[in-house]
Amino acid sequence: MNKKYYSTISSLKPSRKAVDAAVANALRLEKSGKVIEMKPANNKKKLTAIGTIAASLALIIALGAVFFPHGNSLVLKVNAAELSDKSFSAIAKLNRDGGSHMITDEGAERKSEIITNDFAFDLDCVGDNIKSYTCEVKNGSFVIGDTTALADAVPAEKTYKAPFEKEYASFTAEAEAKIPEIRLITGIDLLDENLPKAVLRITGLDESKYYDDGYGKDNIEADLNEELKLAFEGLSVRITVCYNDGSKTEKTLVFTPEAKVTRFEKDIDEDGSFGYDYDTETVVKAKTA
């Protein structure tokens, strides 16, 4: 075959609509039982509907090779939960820092005081022909138990647990790499002058709640959810998957927390203030966006 013509045929990318039309036409001919005449220059040939269907199927198979040449596929799982863009799925229980920790400048003036939240982030990129993947976090950081299995890891500029743990803004891993432990961290700087009242109350910075007899379990739960909503605001992870053929797919994960007060006790001190003892449980949900 002429190379020029072959190149032209190879570059064709018929639309899905054209494929559907070819199938529909073949089925219509099968029902009608019509004979199709094809008139080449030298002779006349008759093709039955069965022959037409076979030819159409051959065309569809060929088109399939054009539309899906590589057979690449991807399913994202975090902590074994399969994620989609349809709805949020529960992926983890939140590990909440019992208090806050201070980051100081050479032991002098406080630079920040952060209350942190973290959860397990065991990512699986499941699919065909996956070579490697890169995770980049926004408004958060990764703590990675062992980085030796990684192809690359970029330290985070904004940190939440430093100097206690090393934090990373992104990491790259081969498809078959086994990474022992990854945690995703976010938090709130308590020295921010624009913190909502709910955050001030739940962290104890606003002591007026200790003198409010009406402040109880429901109030704590509402304040905690507002504080967590602020902590998770803008938190996302962009995942770039590289396939063996050099092509790439990008997905972004977004998260939402949901906190419940599971145990609550309240008592009154001698000075008339109230004390609170309670336990909470926070479920982290995620989806692709």
Side-chain angles (χ1 to χ4, degrees):
M1 181 181 289
N2 184 292
K3 289 185 178 180
K4 181 177 180 181
Y5 294 154
Y6 181 80
S7 175
T8 301
I9 292 171
S10 298
S11 66
L12 290 177
K13 295 183 181 294
S15 67
R16 186 69 208 182
K17 184 176 180 182
V19 177
D20 293 339
V23 175
N25 187 51
L27 294 175
R28 179 179 60 78
L29 290 171
E30 181 184 24
K31 282 186 177 182
S32 66
K34 288 183 180 179
V35 174
I36 302 212
E37 288 192 356
M38 300 191 68
K39 299 180 179 181
N42 297 328
N43 56 6
K44 180 186 293 186
K45 293 184 180 178
K46 292 186 177 182
L47 299 178
T48 64
I50 294 176
T52 304
I53 292 171
S56 297
L57 290 176
L59 173 62
I60 291 166
I61 292 171
L63 292 177
V66 173
F67 290 126
F68 308 104
H70 310 300
N72 299 335
S73 64
L74 172 65
V75 174
L76 293 180
K77 293 184 179 182
V78 176
N79 304 332
E82 186 174 320
L83 303 183
S84 73
D85 59 355
K86 303 301 181 184
S87 60
F88 281 97
S89 299
I91 61 168
K93 297 286 181 68
L94 190 70
N95 299 315
R96 184 173 173 80
D97 194 328
S100 61
H101 68 269
M102 290 183 293
I103 299 175
T104 61
D105 183 10
E106 299 297 330
E109 183 179 355
R110 288 189 302 174
K111 292 174 61 178
S112 63
E113 186 172 352
I114 300 175
I115 185 165
T116 63
N117 308 280
D118 69 86
F119 56 93
F121 189 77
D122 182 10
L123 175 68
D124 284 325
C125 297
V126 182
D128 296 318
N129 302 323
I130 297 174
K131 181 180 180 181
S132 64
Y133 62 90
T134 297
C135 294
E136 300 171 85
V137 62
K138 182 179 179 182
N139 290 338
S141 68
F142 295 111
V143 169
I144 304 172
D146 186 355
T147 60
T148 55
L150 300 178
D152 187 31
V154 179
E157 292 184 7
K158 181 179 181 180
T159 58
Y160 299 84
K161 301 287 281 186
F164 308 106
E165 296 186 86
K166 291 183 178 180
E167 299 173 58
Y168 299 90
S170 67
F171 66 89
T172 299
E174 299 299 316
E176 303 302 323
K178 302 299 181 183
I179 310 171
E181 179 189 2
I182 300 179
R183 294 181 356 255
L184 188 53
I185 297 179
T186 186
I188 294 176
D189 191 338
L190 298 182
L191 296 187
D192 186 344
E193 296 179 355
N194 299 313
L195 291 177
K197 290 183 178 180
V199 176
L200 299 178
R201 286 193 298 264
I202 201 65
T203 56
L205 295 177
D206 179 358
E207 296 187 354
S208 64
K209 70 176 184 178
Y210 299 119
Y211 297 93
D212 183 356
D213 188 24
Y215 191 83
K217 176 182 176 181
D218 290 344
N219 304 100
I220 288 175
E221 193 169 281
D223 285 350
L224 178 57
N225 275 292
E226 188 170 342
E227 183 245 306
L228 289 171
K229 181 180 178 182
L230 179 62
F232 276 71
E233 189 174 61
L235 175 66
S236 65
V237 175
R238 183 174 65 183
I239 301 168
T240 304
V241 173
C242 297
Y243 297 100
N244 291 324
D245 60 18
S247 61
K248 297 181 180 181
T249 294
E250 281 192 2
K251 297 284 186 179
T252 298
L253 302 185
V254 293
F255 308 88
T256 184
E258 184 178 328
K260 297 286 185 183
V261 175
T262 57
R263 184 185 65 84
F264 176 81
E265 294 179 13
K266 180 177 181 179
D267 57 30
I268 186 169
D269 293 335
E270 294 180 357
D271 63 354
S273 63
F274 295 92
Y276 307 96
D277 187 18
Y278 59 90
D279 297 325
T280 64
E281 182 179 271
T282 301
V283 174
V284 179
K285 300 180 180 181
K287 72 172 186 176
T288 57

